[in-house]
Amino acid sequence: MSEHEIGGGSLLAGAEESPVGLHFAVTDRYRPFDLIAPRFVQFDSVVTPRRSAFAGTLLTTGIRPVAPYGTVTVEVRRLDDTAGVTAGLAGDAGSVLGFYDAATGRAGIEITVGGAATVVKSVPADLPAPFGFALVVNENAVTVLADTTGTGTGWQPLLTERDGVRALIDLRDPVVLGELGYAYGGRGTGSTVLGRVRAGYFGQAGIRDPHVVQHADGRPYVKDGKLYLTMTNAGLGFFQQAHWAVWTLDLADPSKLEQVATLFFQRDGVVLGDHAGQIVYDDERRHFIVAMSSWGDFDFDGVHVRHTTTRADVLSGVHVLATERLMLPTTVSSWDPSLTKIDGRWHVGYVESPAQQPAFVFHPALAAGPRGADYDENLELVGADTSLDQTEGTILQKIDGKWYLLASDGHARHYPVYDLSLRRLGVLDAPYGTNIPHPMIVPVGRAWWMITFDSTQYAEPVLGYGGHGDFLLLKA
Protein backbone atom coordinates (compact mmCIF):
# COMPACT_ATOMS: atom_id res chain seq x y z
CA MET A 1 0.00 0.00 0.00
CA SER A 2 1.39 3.39 -0.89
CA GLU A 3 1.32 6.31 1.52
CA HIS A 4 -1.34 7.97 -0.64
CA GLU A 5 -3.95 5.23 -0.73
CA ILE A 6 -6.44 3.76 1.68
CA GLY A 7 -7.72 0.32 0.82
CA GLY A 8 -6.66 0.89 -2.79
CA GLY A 9 -8.75 4.06 -3.14
CA SER A 10 -7.50 7.53 -3.89
CA LEU A 11 -7.38 10.07 -1.11
CA LEU A 12 -9.05 12.61 -3.36
CA ALA A 13 -12.50 13.42 -2.02
CA GLY A 14 -15.67 13.76 -4.04
CA ALA A 15 -16.29 16.86 -6.07
CA GLU A 16 -17.49 19.93 -4.20
CA GLU A 17 -17.67 23.48 -5.48
CA SER A 18 -15.85 24.76 -2.37
CA PRO A 19 -15.47 24.03 1.35
CA VAL A 20 -18.63 26.08 1.84
CA GLY A 21 -20.56 23.24 0.17
CA LEU A 22 -19.49 20.67 2.80
CA HIS A 23 -21.83 19.86 5.70
CA PHE A 24 -20.10 18.50 8.83
CA ALA A 25 -21.51 16.73 11.90
CA VAL A 26 -19.78 15.33 15.00
CA THR A 27 -19.36 11.54 14.88
CA ASP A 28 -16.73 10.82 17.56
CA ARG A 29 -15.68 12.50 20.78
CA TYR A 30 -13.31 11.26 23.48
CA ARG A 31 -10.57 12.37 25.85
CA PRO A 32 -6.97 11.15 25.50
CA PHE A 33 -5.41 11.20 29.00
CA ASP A 34 -2.15 9.57 30.08
CA LEU A 35 0.29 10.54 32.80
CA ILE A 36 2.82 8.41 30.91
CA ALA A 37 2.46 8.09 27.14
CA PRO A 38 1.87 4.34 26.51
CA ARG A 39 4.69 3.93 23.97
CA PHE A 40 7.11 6.01 26.01
CA VAL A 41 7.48 4.11 29.29
CA GLN A 42 11.17 4.17 30.25
CA PHE A 43 11.06 2.24 33.52
CA ASP A 44 8.62 -0.42 34.73
CA SER A 45 9.06 -2.39 37.94
CA VAL A 46 7.43 -5.41 36.28
CA VAL A 47 10.65 -5.73 34.28
CA THR A 48 12.89 -4.74 37.21
CA PRO A 49 11.00 -5.81 40.36
CA ARG A 50 11.17 -3.43 43.34
CA ARG A 51 8.51 -4.93 45.58
CA SER A 52 9.78 -4.38 49.10
CA ALA A 53 9.36 -2.20 52.14
CA PHE A 54 11.09 1.15 52.42
CA ALA A 55 11.88 3.28 55.47
CA GLY A 56 13.00 6.70 54.29
CA THR A 57 14.99 5.21 51.40
CA LEU A 58 15.16 6.83 47.97
CA LEU A 59 16.00 4.65 44.98
CA THR A 60 17.40 6.22 41.82
CA THR A 61 16.90 4.42 38.52
CA GLY A 62 19.62 6.15 36.50
CA ILE A 63 17.05 6.55 33.71
CA ARG A 64 16.15 10.08 32.67
CA PRO A 65 14.05 11.99 30.15
CA VAL A 66 15.87 14.10 27.55
CA ALA A 67 13.41 16.93 28.11
CA PRO A 68 11.67 18.16 31.28
CA TYR A 69 8.43 16.31 30.58
CA GLY A 70 8.40 13.16 32.68
CA THR A 71 6.29 11.21 35.13
CA VAL A 72 6.82 8.71 37.95
CA THR A 73 3.85 6.68 39.22
CA VAL A 74 3.98 4.48 42.31
CA GLU A 75 1.56 1.92 43.73
CA VAL A 76 1.47 2.36 47.52
CA ARG A 77 0.22 -0.91 49.02
CA ARG A 78 0.73 -0.29 52.74
CA LEU A 79 1.80 2.71 54.77
CA ASP A 80 2.56 2.98 58.48
CA ASP A 81 1.36 6.02 60.44
CA THR A 82 4.93 7.36 60.54
CA ALA A 83 5.75 6.57 56.92
CA GLY A 84 5.36 8.23 53.55
CA VAL A 85 6.13 7.95 49.86
CA THR A 86 8.17 10.04 47.47
CA ALA A 87 8.71 10.11 43.70
CA GLY A 88 10.35 12.35 41.13
CA LEU A 89 13.83 13.11 39.81
CA ALA A 90 17.10 12.79 41.70
CA GLY A 91 20.82 12.68 40.99
CA ASP A 92 24.02 14.71 41.10
CA ALA A 93 22.18 17.97 40.44
CA GLY A 94 19.96 17.43 43.51
CA SER A 95 16.34 16.33 43.45
CA VAL A 96 12.83 17.38 42.52
CA LEU A 97 10.45 15.21 44.52
CA GLY A 98 6.81 14.97 45.35
CA PHE A 99 5.96 13.48 48.73
CA TYR A 100 3.17 12.35 51.01
CA ASP A 101 3.68 12.10 54.79
CA ALA A 102 1.11 10.08 56.67
CA ALA A 103 2.41 11.41 60.01
CA THR A 104 1.78 15.06 59.12
CA GLY A 105 -1.10 14.47 56.73
CA ARG A 106 0.48 16.60 54.02
CA ALA A 107 1.55 16.25 50.42
CA GLY A 108 4.16 18.53 48.95
CA ILE A 109 7.01 19.33 46.58
CA GLU A 110 10.60 19.32 47.85
CA ILE A 111 13.59 20.66 45.91
CA THR A 112 17.15 19.82 46.95
CA VAL A 113 20.04 21.83 45.49
CA GLY A 114 23.57 21.90 46.89
CA GLY A 115 22.54 19.64 49.75
CA ALA A 116 19.83 22.05 50.97
CA ALA A 117 16.25 20.75 50.87
CA THR A 118 13.35 23.21 50.48
CA VAL A 119 9.65 22.38 50.58
CA VAL A 120 8.36 24.87 48.02
CA LYS A 121 4.71 24.01 48.57
CA SER A 122 2.54 21.62 50.56
CA VAL A 123 -1.16 20.98 51.17
CA PRO A 124 -3.20 18.87 53.61
CA ALA A 125 -3.85 15.36 52.29
CA ASP A 126 -5.35 12.11 53.56
CA LEU A 127 -4.36 9.11 51.44
CA PRO A 128 -5.20 5.77 53.07
CA ALA A 129 -3.40 2.87 51.41
CA PRO A 130 -3.69 1.38 48.91
CA PHE A 131 -3.45 4.34 46.53
CA GLY A 132 -1.53 5.57 43.53
CA PHE A 133 0.99 8.39 43.86
CA ALA A 134 2.53 10.37 40.99
CA LEU A 135 4.94 13.21 40.31
CA VAL A 136 4.75 14.97 36.93
CA VAL A 137 7.28 17.44 35.54
CA ASN A 138 6.07 19.72 32.72
CA GLU A 139 8.82 22.26 31.96
CA ASN A 140 9.53 23.77 35.43
CA ALA A 141 6.03 23.06 36.68
CA VAL A 142 5.86 20.16 39.14
CA THR A 143 2.56 18.48 40.00
CA VAL A 144 1.73 15.87 42.64
CA LEU A 145 -1.24 13.61 41.95
CA ALA A 146 -3.00 10.76 43.70
CA ASP A 147 -5.35 8.00 42.61
CA THR A 148 -7.42 6.78 45.54
CA THR A 149 -9.60 4.54 43.35
CA GLY A 150 -6.92 1.88 43.03
CA THR A 151 -7.67 1.62 39.30
CA GLY A 152 -4.87 3.76 37.88
CA THR A 153 -7.47 5.82 36.04
CA GLY A 154 -8.60 8.17 38.80
CA TRP A 155 -5.65 10.56 38.92
CA GLN A 156 -6.38 13.93 40.52
CA PRO A 157 -3.84 16.68 41.24
CA LEU A 158 -3.18 17.57 44.88
CA LEU A 159 -0.92 20.56 44.20
CA THR A 160 1.26 22.15 41.53
CA GLU A 161 4.06 24.73 41.62
CA ARG A 162 6.18 26.39 38.94
CA ASP A 163 7.64 29.68 40.18
CA GLY A 164 8.94 28.21 43.45
CA VAL A 165 10.63 25.38 41.56
CA ARG A 166 12.21 27.68 38.98
CA ALA A 167 13.61 29.91 41.74
CA LEU A 168 15.79 26.98 42.83
CA ILE A 169 16.45 24.92 39.70
CA ASP A 170 15.92 25.16 35.94
CA LEU A 171 14.85 21.79 34.59
CA ARG A 172 14.95 23.12 31.02
CA ASP A 173 18.75 23.26 31.21
CA PRO A 174 20.03 20.06 29.53
CA VAL A 175 23.10 20.02 31.81
CA VAL A 176 20.92 20.05 34.92
CA LEU A 177 18.43 17.54 33.53
CA GLY A 178 21.28 15.29 32.45
CA GLU A 179 22.18 14.81 36.10
CA LEU A 180 18.66 13.83 37.21
CA GLY A 181 17.02 10.43 36.84
CA TYR A 182 13.68 8.98 37.84
CA ALA A 183 13.55 8.14 41.56
CA TYR A 184 11.11 6.79 44.14
CA GLY A 185 10.98 5.37 47.65
CA GLY A 186 9.74 5.72 51.20
CA ARG A 187 9.72 8.69 53.54
CA GLY A 188 9.71 9.00 57.32
CA THR A 189 10.61 6.33 59.86
CA GLY A 190 7.84 3.81 59.27
CA SER A 191 7.43 1.09 56.66
CA THR A 192 6.22 1.88 53.15
CA VAL A 193 5.32 -1.11 50.97
CA LEU A 194 5.33 -0.30 47.26
CA GLY A 195 4.03 -2.25 44.27
CA ARG A 196 4.49 -1.37 40.65
CA VAL A 197 6.60 1.67 39.78
CA ARG A 198 6.55 3.18 36.31
CA ALA A 199 8.31 6.18 34.78
CA GLY A 200 8.53 7.77 31.36
CA TYR A 201 7.58 10.69 29.19
CA PHE A 202 4.47 12.59 30.18
CA GLY A 203 1.50 11.95 27.91
CA GLN A 204 -1.32 14.48 27.95
CA ALA A 205 -4.24 15.86 29.94
CA GLY A 206 -6.01 16.49 26.64
CA ILE A 207 -5.16 17.48 23.07
CA ARG A 208 -5.47 20.50 20.80
CA ASP A 209 -4.14 22.15 17.60
CA PRO A 210 -4.41 19.11 15.29
CA HIS A 211 -2.60 19.41 11.96
CA VAL A 212 -2.30 16.55 9.49
CA VAL A 213 1.22 15.58 8.46
CA GLN A 214 1.42 16.02 4.70
CA HIS A 215 3.62 15.92 1.65
CA ALA A 216 4.85 19.19 0.16
CA ASP A 217 2.06 19.17 -2.43
CA GLY A 218 -0.62 18.83 0.25
CA ARG A 219 -1.33 15.09 0.13
CA PRO A 220 -2.03 13.72 3.61
CA TYR A 221 0.64 11.40 4.99
CA VAL A 222 -1.07 8.02 5.33
CA LYS A 223 0.68 4.71 5.94
CA ASP A 224 -0.83 1.28 6.60
CA GLY A 225 -4.29 2.77 6.82
CA LYS A 226 -3.27 5.31 9.47
CA LEU A 227 -3.35 9.07 9.12
CA TYR A 228 -0.41 10.88 10.74
CA LEU A 229 -1.04 14.16 12.51
CA THR A 230 0.59 16.43 15.05
CA MET A 231 -1.24 17.66 18.13
CA THR A 232 -0.39 19.75 21.15
CA ASN A 233 -0.37 17.51 24.22
CA ALA A 234 -1.94 19.57 26.98
CA GLY A 235 0.17 19.66 30.12
CA LEU A 236 -0.86 20.11 33.73
CA GLY A 237 -1.09 23.87 33.48
CA PHE A 238 -0.57 26.76 31.09
CA PHE A 239 0.98 26.87 27.60
CA GLN A 240 4.58 26.28 28.77
CA GLN A 241 3.51 22.97 30.28
CA ALA A 242 2.28 21.61 26.94
CA HIS A 243 4.44 19.85 24.37
CA TRP A 244 4.20 18.53 20.82
CA ALA A 245 3.59 14.97 19.66
CA VAL A 246 2.88 12.95 16.52
CA TRP A 247 -0.19 10.72 16.54
CA THR A 248 -1.82 8.23 14.19
CA LEU A 249 -5.54 7.93 13.59
CA ASP A 250 -6.80 4.58 12.31
CA LEU A 251 -8.98 5.45 9.33
CA ALA A 252 -10.91 2.18 9.68
CA ASP A 253 -11.59 2.85 13.37
CA PRO A 254 -11.26 6.51 14.43
CA SER A 255 -11.48 5.52 18.10
CA LYS A 256 -7.91 4.26 17.73
CA LEU A 257 -5.76 7.33 18.28
CA GLU A 258 -2.16 6.56 19.22
CA GLN A 259 0.84 8.73 20.05
CA VAL A 260 3.88 7.55 18.07
CA ALA A 261 6.44 10.35 18.53
CA THR A 262 7.35 12.99 21.09
CA LEU A 263 9.06 16.18 19.92
CA PHE A 264 11.02 18.74 21.92
CA PHE A 265 13.07 21.73 20.81
CA GLN A 266 16.39 23.18 21.90
CA ARG A 267 16.93 26.92 21.65
CA ASP A 268 18.53 29.65 23.72
CA GLY A 269 20.37 27.04 25.77
CA VAL A 270 17.29 25.22 27.04
CA VAL A 271 14.94 22.38 25.96
CA LEU A 272 11.33 23.44 25.49
CA GLY A 273 7.95 22.02 24.55
CA ASP A 274 7.21 24.35 21.62
CA HIS A 275 4.05 23.27 19.84
CA ALA A 276 1.14 24.21 17.52
CA GLY A 277 2.62 23.64 14.08
CA GLN A 278 2.94 21.24 11.18
CA ILE A 279 5.23 18.56 9.75
CA VAL A 280 5.65 18.38 5.97
CA TYR A 281 7.58 15.72 4.08
CA ASP A 282 9.37 17.24 1.09
CA ASP A 283 9.64 14.31 -1.38
CA GLU A 284 11.96 16.26 -3.69
CA ARG A 285 14.52 17.10 -0.99
CA ARG A 286 13.78 13.90 0.96
CA HIS A 287 13.53 15.52 4.36
CA PHE A 288 10.94 16.61 6.88
CA ILE A 289 10.09 20.27 7.37
CA VAL A 290 9.14 20.85 11.00
CA ALA A 291 7.48 24.18 11.85
CA MET A 292 6.04 25.11 15.23
CA SER A 293 5.13 28.06 17.46
CA SER A 294 7.30 29.33 20.32
CA TRP A 295 4.76 28.68 23.08
CA GLY A 296 7.34 26.74 25.11
CA ASP A 297 8.59 29.85 26.93
CA PHE A 298 5.56 32.10 26.45
CA ASP A 299 5.35 34.87 29.03
CA PHE A 300 2.96 37.34 27.38
CA ASP A 301 5.86 39.02 25.57
CA GLY A 302 5.44 37.64 22.07
CA VAL A 303 5.24 34.44 20.03
CA HIS A 304 6.90 33.53 16.74
CA VAL A 305 7.09 30.64 14.28
CA ARG A 306 10.22 28.47 14.33
CA HIS A 307 11.40 25.75 11.97
CA THR A 308 13.99 23.18 11.02
CA THR A 309 14.54 20.41 8.48
CA THR A 310 15.69 16.90 9.27
CA ARG A 311 16.12 13.47 7.73
CA ALA A 312 15.48 11.86 11.10
CA ASP A 313 12.24 9.91 11.35
CA VAL A 314 10.31 12.45 13.41
CA LEU A 315 7.17 10.34 12.99
CA SER A 316 8.39 7.90 15.63
CA GLY A 317 10.42 7.98 18.83
CA VAL A 318 11.70 10.87 20.94
CA HIS A 319 13.51 13.81 19.36
CA VAL A 320 15.13 17.04 20.54
CA LEU A 321 15.53 19.35 17.54
CA ALA A 322 17.42 22.61 17.23
CA THR A 323 15.31 25.28 15.51
CA GLU A 324 15.56 28.84 14.23
CA ARG A 325 13.07 31.62 13.61
CA LEU A 326 11.08 31.44 10.37
CA MET A 327 11.31 34.83 8.69
CA LEU A 328 7.68 35.64 7.96
CA PRO A 329 6.62 38.96 6.45
CA THR A 330 5.29 40.40 9.69
CA THR A 331 6.51 42.72 12.42
CA VAL A 332 4.21 41.30 15.10
CA SER A 333 3.76 37.94 16.82
CA SER A 334 2.86 34.84 14.81
CA TRP A 335 1.85 31.21 15.34
CA ASP A 336 -0.03 28.21 13.78
CA PRO A 337 2.09 27.77 10.60
CA SER A 338 0.55 25.87 7.67
CA LEU A 339 2.89 25.08 4.74
CA THR A 340 2.11 23.75 1.26
CA LYS A 341 3.82 24.00 -2.13
CA ILE A 342 1.16 25.14 -4.60
CA ASP A 343 1.93 25.47 -8.33
CA GLY A 344 5.65 25.61 -7.64
CA ARG A 345 5.40 28.25 -4.90
CA TRP A 346 5.50 27.66 -1.17
CA HIS A 347 2.53 29.16 0.66
CA VAL A 348 2.57 29.66 4.43
CA GLY A 349 -0.59 30.38 6.36
CA TYR A 350 -0.17 31.71 9.88
CA VAL A 351 -1.67 33.84 12.62
CA GLU A 352 -0.62 37.46 13.12
CA SER A 353 -0.99 38.86 16.63
CA PRO A 354 -0.27 42.52 17.39
CA ALA A 355 -1.03 42.04 21.11
CA GLN A 356 -1.23 39.35 23.82
CA GLN A 357 -2.03 41.67 26.71
CA PRO A 358 -4.14 43.08 28.21
CA ALA A 359 -6.04 40.90 25.72
CA PHE A 360 -5.07 38.62 22.84
CA VAL A 361 -5.66 40.09 19.36
CA PHE A 362 -4.97 37.80 16.39
CA HIS A 363 -6.07 37.25 12.79
CA PRO A 364 -5.22 34.99 9.80
CA ALA A 365 -2.53 35.83 7.24
CA LEU A 366 -0.99 34.20 4.18
CA ALA A 367 2.49 34.54 2.68
CA ALA A 368 4.04 33.04 -0.45
CA GLY A 369 7.53 32.73 -1.86
CA PRO A 370 8.79 33.05 -5.44
CA ARG A 371 8.59 30.09 -7.81
CA GLY A 372 11.51 27.72 -7.23
CA ALA A 373 12.42 29.10 -3.79
CA ASP A 374 12.35 26.95 -0.67
CA TYR A 375 9.66 27.31 1.99
CA ASP A 376 11.76 29.70 4.09
CA GLU A 377 13.08 31.93 1.30
CA ASN A 378 11.83 35.40 0.38
CA LEU A 379 8.30 35.03 1.71
CA GLU A 380 6.05 37.97 0.92
CA LEU A 381 2.66 38.83 2.36
CA VAL A 382 -0.30 37.84 0.19
CA GLY A 383 -2.89 39.22 2.57
CA ALA A 384 -4.26 39.33 6.11
CA ASP A 385 -7.80 39.68 7.40
CA THR A 386 -7.27 42.43 9.96
CA SER A 387 -11.02 42.87 10.40
CA LEU A 388 -10.92 39.88 12.76
CA ASP A 389 -9.31 39.76 16.20
CA GLN A 390 -9.89 36.23 17.57
CA THR A 391 -9.02 34.02 14.59
CA GLU A 392 -6.40 31.25 14.42
CA GLY A 393 -5.96 27.64 13.28
CA THR A 394 -4.93 28.42 9.69
CA ILE A 395 -5.21 25.40 7.37
CA LEU A 396 -4.35 25.17 3.66
CA GLN A 397 -6.53 22.62 1.87
CA LYS A 398 -7.30 21.65 -1.72
CA ILE A 399 -10.90 20.85 -2.64
CA ASP A 400 -12.10 19.99 -6.16
CA GLY A 401 -8.86 21.21 -7.67
CA LYS A 402 -8.82 24.57 -5.87
CA TRP A 403 -6.81 25.71 -2.87
CA TYR A 404 -8.28 27.49 0.14
CA LEU A 405 -7.14 28.92 3.45
CA LEU A 406 -9.39 27.95 6.36
CA ALA A 407 -9.40 29.51 9.81
CA SER A 408 -11.38 29.61 13.04
CA ASP A 409 -13.08 32.76 14.33
CA GLY A 410 -13.64 32.52 18.06
CA HIS A 411 -15.57 35.78 18.20
CA ALA A 412 -18.12 34.99 15.47
CA ARG A 413 -18.07 31.26 16.36
CA HIS A 414 -17.57 29.96 12.83
CA TYR A 415 -14.87 28.92 10.33
CA PRO A 416 -14.13 31.52 7.62
CA VAL A 417 -13.00 30.28 4.18
CA TYR A 418 -10.60 32.29 1.95
CA ASP A 419 -9.13 31.85 -1.49
CA LEU A 420 -5.39 32.21 -2.02
CA SER A 421 -5.67 35.97 -2.47
CA LEU A 422 -7.25 36.14 1.01
CA ARG A 423 -10.64 37.01 -0.44
CA ARG A 424 -13.31 35.73 1.95
CA LEU A 425 -15.70 33.26 0.32
CA GLY A 426 -17.97 32.25 3.21
CA VAL A 427 -17.87 29.90 6.20
CA LEU A 428 -17.79 26.15 6.72
CA ASP A 429 -21.10 24.48 7.53
CA ALA A 430 -19.87 22.82 10.72
CA PRO A 431 -20.82 23.01 14.41
CA TYR A 432 -18.58 25.36 16.36
CA GLY A 433 -17.66 24.17 19.83
CA THR A 434 -15.89 25.82 22.73
CA ASN A 435 -12.46 27.49 22.64
CA ILE A 436 -11.19 28.18 19.07
CA PRO A 437 -11.40 24.75 17.40
CA HIS A 438 -9.16 24.41 14.34
CA PRO A 439 -10.82 23.40 11.02
CA MET A 440 -8.41 20.59 10.17
CA ILE A 441 -10.30 19.04 7.27
CA VAL A 442 -8.77 16.13 5.37
CA PRO A 443 -9.96 13.91 2.48
CA VAL A 444 -10.56 10.27 3.40
CA GLY A 445 -11.70 8.09 0.51
CA ARG A 446 -14.55 10.03 -1.10
CA ALA A 447 -15.50 11.79 2.12
CA TRP A 448 -14.19 14.66 4.22
CA TRP A 449 -13.30 14.53 7.89
CA MET A 450 -12.64 17.40 10.28
CA ILE A 451 -10.33 16.75 13.22
CA THR A 452 -10.58 19.31 15.99
CA PHE A 453 -10.87 19.89 19.76
CA ASP A 454 -12.69 21.89 22.42
CA SER A 455 -12.01 23.66 25.72
CA THR A 456 -12.97 20.89 28.16
CA GLN A 457 -10.54 21.39 31.05
CA TYR A 458 -8.89 18.95 33.41
CA ALA A 459 -8.79 19.86 37.12
CA GLU A 460 -8.84 23.60 36.46
CA PRO A 461 -9.35 24.60 40.14
CA VAL A 462 -5.89 23.20 40.97
CA LEU A 463 -4.03 23.51 37.66
CA GLY A 464 -5.55 26.63 36.12
CA TYR A 465 -6.24 27.14 32.42
CA GLY A 466 -4.45 25.04 29.80
CA GLY A 467 -5.36 21.40 30.45
CA HIS A 468 -7.73 21.06 27.48
CA GLY A 469 -9.32 19.60 25.34
CA ASP A 470 -11.40 16.71 24.04
CA PHE A 471 -10.70 15.10 20.65
CA LEU A 472 -13.55 15.65 18.18
CA LEU A 473 -14.07 14.06 14.78
CA LEU A 474 -16.61 15.48 12.34
CA LYS A 475 -17.57 14.00 8.98
CA ALA A 476 -19.09 15.59 5.88
Side-chain angles (χ1 to χ4, degrees):
M1 182 183 296
S2 77
E3 294 173 350
H4 320 309
E5 297 179 348
I6 304 174
S10 170
L11 276 175
L12 295 177
E16 296 284 351
E17 291 184 357
S18 78
V20 179
L22 300 172
H23 309 281
F24 287 93
V26 177
T27 60
D28 296 85
R29 178 191 186 113
Y30 51 90
R31 179 69 167 226
F33 182 95
D34 291 291
L35 291 189
I36 304 176
R39 281 195 176 200
F40 298 92
V41 177
Q42 297 175 273
F43 175 84
D44 194 326
S45 63
V46 171
V47 177
T48 306
R50 298 288 188 186
R51 302 177 182 277
S52 58
F54 298 83
T57 301
L58 182 69
L59 289 181
T60 56
T61 66
I63 300 169
R64 68 178 186 91
V66 296
Y69 293 85
T71 300
V72 182
T73 65
V74 181
E75 288 182 353
V76 181
R77 294 183 172 178
R78 292 199 308 274
L79 202 65
D80 288 353
D81 291 342
T82 58
V85 61
T86 189
L89 300 171
D92 293 342
S95 63
V96 177
L97 301 172
F99 67 84
Y100 169 67
D101 282 333
T104 61
R106 299 191 71 83
I109 298 166
E110 182 180 82
I111 310 298
T112 300
V113 178
T118 303
V119 176
V120 296
K121 191 173 185 179
S122 69
V123 296
D126 182 15
L127 303 176
F131 64 91
F133 185 80
L135 185 286
V136 171
V137 169
N138 291 155
E139 192 242 15
N140 281 313
V142 177
T143 304
V144 176
L145 304 95
D147 176 13
T148 58
T149 68
T151 64
T153 60
W155 294 106
Q156 292 296 319
L158 302 176
L159 73 158
T160 190
E161 178 62 20
R162 180 172 180 259
D163 292 345
V165 173
R166 176 62 188 92
L168 297 171
I169 193 170
D170 189 355
L171 297 173
R172 307 170 307 164
D173 185 336
V175 175
V176 172
L177 193 64
E179 297 178 347
L180 296 173
Y182 300 117
Y184 63 96
R187 185 177 175 92
T189 60
S191 175
T192 303
V193 179
L194 303 182
R196 188 179 190 184
V197 179
R198 301 170 75 240
Y201 289 97
F202 174 75
Q204 69 291 323
I207 55 85
R208 53 183 182 263
D209 312 327
H211 208 135
V212 167
V213 177
Q214 66 174 58
H215 296 264
D217 61 6
R219 289 169 295 139
Y221 195 102
V222 177
K223 188 174 183 180
D224 298 328
K226 295 181 179 180
L227 175 71
Y228 283 73
L229 65 156
T230 59
M231 293 195 290
T232 298
N233 284 19
L236 304 183
F238 196 50
F239 295 167
Q240 308 96 327
Q241 279 78 77
H243 73 284
W244 212 29
V246 181
W247 298 70
T248 59
L249 182 66
D250 191 325
L251 295 174
D253 182 358
S255 68
K256 294 180 179 178
L257 183 69
E258 184 178 20
Q259 183 180 335
V260 294
T262 299
L263 306 181
F264 305 104
F265 304 97
Q266 187 163 5
R267 58 184 173 91
D268 302 323
V270 295
V271 177
L272 300 166
D274 289 338
H275 51 266
Q278 185 190 25
I279 295 176
V280 175
Y281 184 69
D282 188 333
D283 295 89
E284 180 180 347
R285 297 176 183 260
R286 305 177 80 173
H287 64 203
F288 287 100
I289 301 166
V290 186
M292 76 302 301
S293 313
S294 66
W295 292 113
D297 59 355
F298 178 66
D299 195 23
F300 294 92
D301 58 355
V303 187
H304 63 275
V305 173
R306 300 188 66 82
H307 72 113
T308 191
T309 61
T310 180
R311 285 187 165 85
D313 182 10
V314 292
L315 304 187
S316 66
V318 180
H319 301 268
V320 178
L321 302 174
T323 63
E324 61 184 25
R325 187 169 188 151
L326 180 62
M327 300 310 295
L328 293 170
T330 181
T331 59
V332 298
S333 286
S334 58
W335 62 83
D336 288 355
S338 179
L339 296 77
T340 304
K341 194 173 186 179
I342 302 171
D343 296 331
R345 299 177 64 200
W346 279 98
H347 289 66
V348 181
Y350 58 99
V351 169
E352 276 191 323
S353 174
Q356 294 89 52
Q357 57 180 351
F360 274 78
V361 177
F362 46 101
H363 57 257
L366 180 65
R371 191 176 303 276
D374 208 352
Y375 73 95
D376 60 342
E377 296 176 341
N378 302 317
L379 293 170
E380 294 185 355
L381 183 66
V382 173
D385 189 351
T386 58
S387 69
L388 305 178
D389 61 9
Q390 297 289 303
T391 306
E392 63 181 5
T394 49
I395 303 291
L396 285 163
Q397 185 55 262
K398 185 178 184 180
I399 298 177
D400 195 23
K402 297 179 182 179
W403 284 96
Y404 302 90
L405 181 73
L406 313 177
S408 179
D409 187 341
H411 179 71
R413 316 305 295 170
H414 61 210
Y415 307 99
V417 177
Y418 303 88
D419 65 15
L420 291 190
S421 63
L422 256 289
R423 180 172 62 97
R424 184 161 170 166
L425 304 177
V427 298
L428 285 179
D429 181 5
Y432 198 97
T434 55
N435 201 264
I436 305 180
H438 295 188
M440 182 62 253
I441 70 172
V442 58
V444 177
R446 298 190 61 80
W448 287 94
W449 290 9
M450 180 191 291
I451 301 166
T452 191
F453 65 100
D454 70 3
S455 65
T456 303
Q457 294 284 331
Y458 167 67
E460 189 171 8
V462 176
L463 302 176
Y465 175 80
H468 59 287
D470 284 359
F471 177 90
L472 276 78
L473 177 65
L474 295 77
K475 294 181 181 179

